[in-house]
Amino acid sequence: MAEKIEHIVNSEAKGRVDKYLAEVFPEYTRSFIQKQIEKGGILVNQKVINSKYQVKADDHIIMTIPDPIEVDIIPEPIDIEIVYEDDDLMIVNKPQDMVVHPAPGNYSGTLVNGLLYHCKDKLSGINGEIRPGIVHRIDKDTSGLLMIAKNDKAHLGLSELLKDHHITRKYHAIVYGGFKEDEGTIEEPIGRSTQDRKKMAIVRDGRYAKTDYKVLERFKQFTYIELTLHTGRTHQIRVHMKHIGHPLLGDPVYGPTKMSFGINKQMLHAKVIGFTHPITHKKMYFESELPDYFVRVIDKLRKL
């Protein structure tokens, strides 16, 4: 059955309904939302509207998401930085701005499109046709290392390592504010926000989440840190850092409304992955260089 999503517009919201919904529900593109509006699949206060409708505080929006249709994900010759590859798995370095897997209204230009071109039919099928090979994911605006499974046996093995917290994952980030201490740990449960569906939040009945952080370099108004994930909750780093008063620089969802330096994408890079190979049982460890966009921001902060 088609999914129905209900949403109440908050008091500070304004602007066109299609743009507003694309920001509130980033998993759906603006063009996808416009098509649903044209089909009458989005109602505001129980009325059919058009894409130019200006949202108001307390508007009651009901968005009907149609059942997924069978799609052919087209292999595309997308340049992928492959850090490591064998018969069972790959480690790739995803750039900022690349979506990991296709979603409604966005079926091309993703990492999966490029993987299908490179690997042909040698990708695990456990996650279905939309996410072949994808064991875990990172946000579109987060760069860095990802594990890719080339067969189901490797996929199951990597998934078990993730589940049992036997994979080392370290991220580098730039966050607002300064730290008195050099390192610390955040253990707070994370779940879907009860006030805003597009956000995750610290909630009492959420899932256990643990993040370690360590200061790498201090700047005038920001800090460059390393984060170690012990769990893998959605938006874990972004939510935990906001919770302790140090949101990520550029985070459009959990950061300040006013963006510093005009940066509107979170400064977060998946720098390290370490694990025991699920097939060969060899110890694997990979560390990526900081991407150019990250280095440029650090250089700018050093000059403040």
Side-chain angles (χ1 to χ4, degrees), residues 70-74 107 113 129:
E70 291 294 324
V71 294
D72 291 326
I73 306 303
I74 306 300
Y107 288 111
N113 294 102
E129 295 181 5

Side-chain angles (χ1 to χ4, degrees), residues 70-140:
E70 291 294 324
V71 294
D72 291 326
I73 306 303
I74 306 300
E76 298 177 18
I78 297 171
D79 186 27
I80 298 174
E81 182 182 346
I82 299 172
V83 177
Y84 172 83
E85 181 176 13
D86 61 28
D87 292 338
D88 301 297
L89 58 84
M90 299 167 60
I91 304 296
V92 301
N93 193 18
K94 186 188 84 68
Q96 191 181 53
D97 289 331
M98 177 180 279
V99 176
V100 170
H101 59 76
N106 184 22
Y107 288 111
S108 65
T110 73
L111 177 62
V112 162
N113 294 102
L115 289 173
L116 287 172
Y117 184 87
H118 175 79
C119 298
K120 306 300 186 283
D121 60 346
K122 294 181 179 179
L123 287 171
S124 67
I126 289 175
N127 268 347
E129 295 181 5
I130 298 295
R131 305 180 185 184
I134 303 301
V135 180
H136 65 127
R137 59 179 294 277
I138 54 179
D139 295 329
K140 172 186 176 184

Side-chain angles (χ1 to χ4, degrees), residues 196-233:
D196 191 335
R197 185 184 180 276
K198 75 174 180 178
K199 293 183 179 181
M200 307 301 288
I202 304 299
V203 294
R204 185 185 304 175
D205 60 348
R207 301 178 69 188
Y208 173 76
K210 179 180 178 181
T211 307
D212 294 335
Y213 62 87
K214 181 174 69 174
V215 171
L216 298 178
E217 187 171 354
R218 291 177 166 87
F219 305 112
K220 189 174 182 181
Q221 298 173 337
F222 302 89
T223 306
Y224 174 33
I225 63 174
E226 179 179 81
L227 302 120
T228 301
L229 286 182
H230 294 275
T231 52
R233 310 306 175 208

Side-chain angles (χ1 to χ4, degrees), residues 148-188:
I148 306 297
K150 296 177 71 175
N151 55 62
D152 288 355
K153 185 176 181 180
H155 192 129
L156 289 170
L158 292 172
S159 295
E160 282 298 312
L161 291 174
L162 280 170
K163 179 182 176 182
D164 295 335
H165 314 308
H166 290 160
I167 293 182
T168 299
R169 286 179 292 166
K170 295 181 183 293
Y171 288 70
H172 282 201
I174 298 173
V175 300
Y176 282 87
F179 292 76
K180 292 181 180 179
E181 68 281 2
D182 289 332
E183 56 187 51
T185 298
I186 310 162
E187 287 186 87
E188 295 289 350

